[in-house]
C-alpha cells in the first residue's frame, strides 16, 4: 500500500510563500489521483487542490490564483506552491492519494501564517 510523507510546512508571514512536498512510495504513482487537503483547528478537512493521473487540476475557490499544485511522476512527488499567504491559510495540510476506490493520507504538515 502506498505511503505518503509531507514536508515543507512552517511559520510564514502574511504575503509570504511556502512550498509543500509530498513523496509517495509504491510503483504505480503515475496512476494515482493526488490531492492536498487542509484542516484548521475546530474545522473539517477540506480540499485545497487535486490533480488527476491525467494532469487535470482543480483548486478550491479560496486558493485560486495563489496556490499551484504540480506532480512529478518520475520522483513520485506532488507539490503545493503557496503564494500570497493569508492568516486564514493556517492549517494542517495533508497529502492524499486515490486509486481504485482506496484513499491514503499522509501524516500532515503544519502551516502557520502569522505576523
Amino acid at each position: 500500500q502506498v505511503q505518503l510523507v509531507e514536508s515543507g510546512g512552517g511559520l510564514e508571514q502574511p504575503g509570504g510563500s511556502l512550498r509543500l512536498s509530498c513523496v509517495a512510495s509504491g510503483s504505480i504513482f503515475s496512476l494515482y489521483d493526488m490531492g492536498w487537503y487542509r484542516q484548521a483547528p475546530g474545522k473539517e478537512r477540506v480540499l485545497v487542490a487535486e490533480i488527476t493521473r491525467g494532469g487535470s487540476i482543480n483548486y478550491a475557490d479560496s486558493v485560486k490564483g495563489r496556490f499551484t499544485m504540480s506532480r512529478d511522476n518520475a520522483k513520485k512527488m506532488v507539490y503545493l506552491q503557496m503564494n500570497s499567504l493569508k492568516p486564514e491559510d493556517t492549517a494542517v495540510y495533508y497529502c492524499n492519494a486515490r486509486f481504485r476506490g482506496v484513499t491514503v493520507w499522509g501524516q500532515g504538515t503544519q502551516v502557520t501564517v502569522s505576523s
Side-chain angles (χ1 to χ4, degrees):
Q1 186 177 5
V2 64
Q3 293 183 323
L4 305 172
V5 178
E6 302 98 333
S7 61
L11 174 64
E12 184 58 68
Q13 293 184 345
S17 298
L18 285 172
R19 188 195 195 203
L20 304 184
S21 300
C22 172
V23 61
S25 62
S27 60
I28 57 170
F29 176 80
S30 62
L31 299 182
Y32 303 151
D33 294 326
M34 302 296 296
W36 284 101
Y37 287 70
R38 68 187 181 187
Q39 187 168 18
K43 295 188 177 180
E44 295 184 349
R45 191 174 299 186
V46 296
L47 176 70
V48 175
E50 58 186 354
I51 184 168
T52 69
R53 61 184 184 179
S56 297
I57 305 174
N58 178 51
Y59 296 98
D61 288 343
S62 59
V63 306
K64 282 182 181 177
R66 300 188 298 122
F67 291 10
T68 302
M69 184 175 184
S70 60
R71 69 187 296 163
D72 185 333
N73 288 338
K75 295 182 178 179
K76 300 181 182 179
M77 295 193 72
V78 291
Y79 306 96
L80 186 68
Q81 177 66 44
M82 306 186 295
N83 299 328
S84 302
L85 284 164
K86 303 175 180 180
E88 51 262 44
D89 295 319
T90 295
V92 178
Y93 284 70
Y94 296 90
C95 182
N96 158 289
R98 303 180 301 280
F99 179 67
R100 291 187 177 178
V102 177
T103 298
V104 177
W105 294 93
Q107 84 288 349
T109 185
Q110 176 71 46
V111 171
T112 302
V113 184
S114 175
S115 55

